[in-house]
Amino acid sequence: MDWSNVVKVVGNHDKSEGHLSQCEAADNFIAVMSGQKKDIERCLSSQYNSIVEKNRQILVSIVEAIIFCGKQNIALRGHGNEKGNFTALLKFQAKHDSALREHIEHGDPRSMYLSPKIQNELIGICGKQISDEIVSACNKSQCFEFIADEATDASTMEQMALCLRFYDSSKHELCEEFLGFGECQSTTGEALADAFIVNLLGANVQIEKKRGQGYDGAANMSGNHKGVQARISARIPGAVYTHCKAHSLNLAIIHASEEVFARNMMSVVQTIALAFNYSAKRLLHFKENLNNDNVCREEMESRTKLQSLCETRWAARSDALHTFLCSYRTVVTSLEELANNYGDSKAAGYNHSIQNFSFIVTLVAVEHVLSGLVRLSKLLQDKSCDLLEAASEARFVIAMLQAERNDADVWDALYDKSVSTAHDVDVEPSVPRRFGRQVHRPNAQAETPSQYWKTNMYLPFIDHLLFDLDARLLKGNGRYKAQYQLPPKVDGLTHAVTIEIFQEFK
């Protein structure tokens, strides 16, 4: 090679046809790999591209239908797949989507993507994406709390509901997210604890960041030695157990409602509510009489039927008792008509059960007391509620009930309302007949009916409730005060609070 002309040779190479063609080929390769250009196969086959886009459009429509059913809590199919909600929704979409309509009517039966198996697979893929996003946000936080409960489903399998509570720095808010269900073979503390850990690890949750665990107060969950919380605390010492405060409130109401007068009254209300709601004839008479009573209709606030008492959320029973109290006169009128005009013997018995002063005064008193717990119940179930706020609201409610208990005017107003309600149905204030030694109900002597019902019904119920509220909602309050170390609450970090926090965590 003539090195004396190397500069000229190199310059000629840069302009040569071979060099330029290779540079163009390299540029095209980079463009194809980076997605800026389509490869030769796709360029040569426009039909292939249209098929791909069409299939994607169809699959998007199928996935959107599944997501819609999931968001609306609608079952995709019933006993037969052909008449299921999923199929009906797709046919409705097909009216405005020609590609989907052609796929449903003339698609290859081997690749319809509409079978129950494919539906379940798509549901699983969607669920996996959602849970992965939740776990990713949880793992980015400094710590999290694990919340769980177990229950038996319709197929008699034990199902665990798993939730994560953490601070999402990207959204700048506290999140409480449902992670999913898991099956468990046993309900012992050991089996549940192992199942919880396995499910969290399976979802790729960084369990070493767990700083809290919340369950109900059952022995297998809260036991200090063999319960779930004890076993998880042994593995993750920083995971402090907190008994669900909404559940604690529920237990307090349940135990207070075991007082004999309150228990009997609620039993009668539940029986009559079910009797009306599950009988077309009785419900029709109730609605007709309600329409004829303007006062009751206004107090019912657009409700047209009685509400049954919730078996699990006892704080919600206040609304059912309020509805029954507002429509009391209508209920009595309806039962009398059913008994006298239609020979309904059960209606006669129901009417006898509620047309006595014992039932009326207990209904008025218990409904009033439980109505004061509704706001607290909603607050304790709020995702944004923290332990300090819950304890503060609980103290406020307890102080309010204590003040009402000691205020004679409150009881006098409740008693006067009971007398007025009884007067509407020609019932006179009275006390239960006393014969011999009473062992099944309180029966302290009193000079007047008002004093009797206050001493034997109202005070025992509210005292029992106050005791349980204090013991269940304010227990372990010192641990909650550690939140005073957070910047928004640091103003409340006094010397006394600091000492209390130290005593709890030393």
Side-chain angles (χ1 to χ4, degrees):
M1 182 175 182
D2 186 3
W3 291 101
S4 62
N5 295 318
V6 66
V7 175
K8 182 179 179 181
V9 172
V10 171
N12 292 334
H13 173 76
D14 290 343
K15 299 177 183 178
S16 66
E17 182 179 351
H19 176 75
L20 294 175
S21 64
Q22 292 301 320
C23 288
E24 183 180 2
D27 291 339
N28 288 332
F29 175 79
I30 293 173
V32 169
M33 296 305 295
S34 62
Q36 297 176 4
K37 290 184 177 180
K38 297 180 180 179
D39 58 37
I40 188 65
E41 181 182 359
R42 295 190 179 186
C43 291
L44 294 176
S45 178
S46 59
Q47 183 180 4
Y48 173 82
N49 293 333
S50 63
I51 292 174
V52 169
E53 292 301 324
K54 179 181 178 181
N55 289 340
R56 286 179 177 174
Q57 181 182 349
I58 293 170
L59 190 59
V60 166
S61 299
I62 293 172
V63 173
E64 286 179 344
I66 290 176
I67 293 175
F68 177 82
C69 291
K71 286 184 176 180
Q72 298 302 118
N73 197 25
I74 300 173
L76 269 71
R77 54 189 181 271
H79 296 293
N81 187 48
E82 292 299 322
K83 296 183 179 180
N85 296 318
F86 172 72
T87 303
L89 182 57
L90 280 181
K91 289 181 179 179
F92 178 78
Q93 286 180 279
K95 293 180 179 179
H96 312 283
D97 188 336
S98 58
L100 180 60
R101 180 170 61 253
E102 182 182 351
H103 176 73
I104 293 175
E105 294 177 355
H106 307 292
D108 187 347
R110 296 170 298 178
S111 58
M112 294 293 289
Y113 301 107
L114 302 178
S115 68
K117 182 178 179 180
I118 297 297
Q119 293 173 30
N120 292 339
E121 185 176 346
L122 291 174
I123 292 171
I125 293 173
C126 293
K128 185 66 167 57
Q129 283 194 316
I130 295 172
S131 62
D132 286 348
E133 290 182 5
I134 294 172
V135 170
S136 176
C138 179
N139 289 338
K140 290 178 182 178
S141 65
Q142 296 297 318
C143 58
F144 73 94
E145 180 186 13
F146 175 63
I147 307 171
D149 197 7
E150 54 84 20
T152 305
D153 63 13
S155 62
T156 66
M157 289 294 297
E158 289 292 334
Q159 297 281 355
M160 302 177 296
L162 314 173
C163 299
L164 300 176
R165 183 180 174 90
F166 56 92
Y167 180 77
D168 191 334
S169 56
S170 63
K171 298 179 180 178
H172 302 289
E173 64 181 13
L174 191 65
C175 297
E176 188 173 298
E177 302 289 353
F178 171 68
L179 186 61
F181 288 107
E183 291 186 1
C184 52
Q185 303 300 323
S186 173
T187 57
T188 63
E190 181 180 8
L192 289 175
D194 291 342
F196 290 160
I197 295 295
V198 168
N199 278 275
L200 289 178
L201 291 175
N204 297 320
V205 178
Q206 298 175 2
I207 62 172
E208 64 275 6
K209 291 184 177 181
K210 185 192 292 188
R211 293 297 178 267
Q213 47 180 325
Y215 319 114
D216 59 28
N220 63 334
M221 306 296 285
S222 63
N224 292 327
H225 301 289
K226 296 184 178 181
V228 171
Q229 66 93 7
R231 294 179 182 276
I232 290 184
S233 295
R235 180 165 180 174
I236 311 172
V240 180
Y241 165 66
T242 301
H243 184 184
C244 173
K245 295 306 174 184
H247 185 258
S248 297
L249 174 62
N250 205 46
L251 291 177
I253 298 173
I254 289 174
H255 289 174
S257 298
E258 290 176 355
E259 294 291 334
V260 60
F261 290 112
R263 184 184 69 235
N264 292 344
M265 179 273 295
M266 289 189 181
S267 176
V268 172
V269 168
Q270 180 75 324
T271 301
I272 293 177
L274 295 176
F276 272 103
N277 294 339
Y278 287 93
S279 171
K281 181 176 69 175
R282 292 170 182 164
L283 184 59
L284 179 62
H285 277 77
F286 177 83
K287 290 182 177 180
E288 290 176 349
N289 288 314
L290 183 63
N291 290 331
N292 295 330
D293 192 326
N294 294 330
V295 176
C296 286
R297 189 172 65 253
E298 290 179 3
E299 291 181 349
M300 286 280 283
E301 300 176 350
S302 302
R303 299 185 184 93
T304 58
K305 59 190 298 187
L306 299 176
Q307 292 180 304
S308 58
L309 302 179
C310 181
E311 296 293 339
T312 53
R313 294 181 293 110
W314 282 60
R317 291 192 167 202
S318 170
D319 195 37
L321 296 179
H322 176 73
T323 301
F324 195 97
L325 180 59
C326 291
S327 60
Y328 175 76
R329 189 168 56 201
T330 300
V331 173
V332 171
T333 303
S334 301
L335 291 175
E336 287 179 345
E337 290 181 357
L338 289 167
N340 297 332
N341 300 336
Y342 297 92
D344 191 334
S345 59
K346 289 186 176 180
Y350 298 150
N351 197 31
H352 178 75
S353 298
I354 64 174
Q355 273 195 290
N356 64 78
F357 193 71
S358 172
F359 175 86
I360 296 171
V361 70
T362 305
L363 174 63
V364 171
V366 172
E367 186 274 333
H368 172 77
V369 173
L370 292 186
S371 65
L373 302 177
V374 173
R375 183 176 181 275
L376 176 60
S377 177
K378 292 180 179 179
L379 176 69
L380 294 178
Q381 297 176 66
D382 191 346
K383 292 182 179 181
S384 62
C385 178
D386 60 32
L387 296 174
L388 275 179
E389 186 180 6
S392 175
E393 183 66 19
R395 281 194 296 271
F396 174 80
V397 170
I398 291 173
M400 179 194 71
L401 292 177
Q402 187 67 51
E404 288 190 350
R405 180 205 183 280
N406 298 328
D407 190 346
D409 291 338
V410 173
W411 168 250
D412 290 341
L414 292 175
Y415 184 77
D416 290 343
K417 183 177 180 179
S418 303
V419 172
S420 175
T421 303
H423 179 72
D424 290 341
V425 292
D426 299 326
V427 174
E428 295 297 326
S430 61
V431 300
R433 184 178 60 178
R434 179 169 180 170
F435 180 78
R437 179 170 173 266
Q438 298 295 323
V439 295
H440 298 296
R441 67 168 184 258
N443 206 13
Q445 293 184 352
E447 295 181 358
T448 64
S450 176
Q451 291 178 353
Y452 176 88
W453 290 112
K454 179 179 182 180
T455 304
N456 293 283
M457 182 273 297
Y458 177 68
L459 292 182
F461 177 77
I462 200 169
D463 285 344
H464 197 160
L465 182 61
L466 285 169
F467 176 81
D468 270 355
L469 288 176
D470 183 73
R472 295 179 182 277
L473 295 183
L474 300 183
K475 184 180 179 181
N477 190 34
R479 290 191 291 112
Y480 308 163
K481 294 184 178 180
Q483 293 185 66
Y484 281 120
Q485 299 176 81
L486 298 175
K489 303 179 184 294
V490 73
D491 291 340
L493 189 61
T494 63
H495 180 67
V497 172
T498 304
I499 294 176
E500 189 174 356
I501 294 173
F502 174 78
Q503 293 295 330
E504 285 289 335
F505 289 93
K506 68 178 181 178

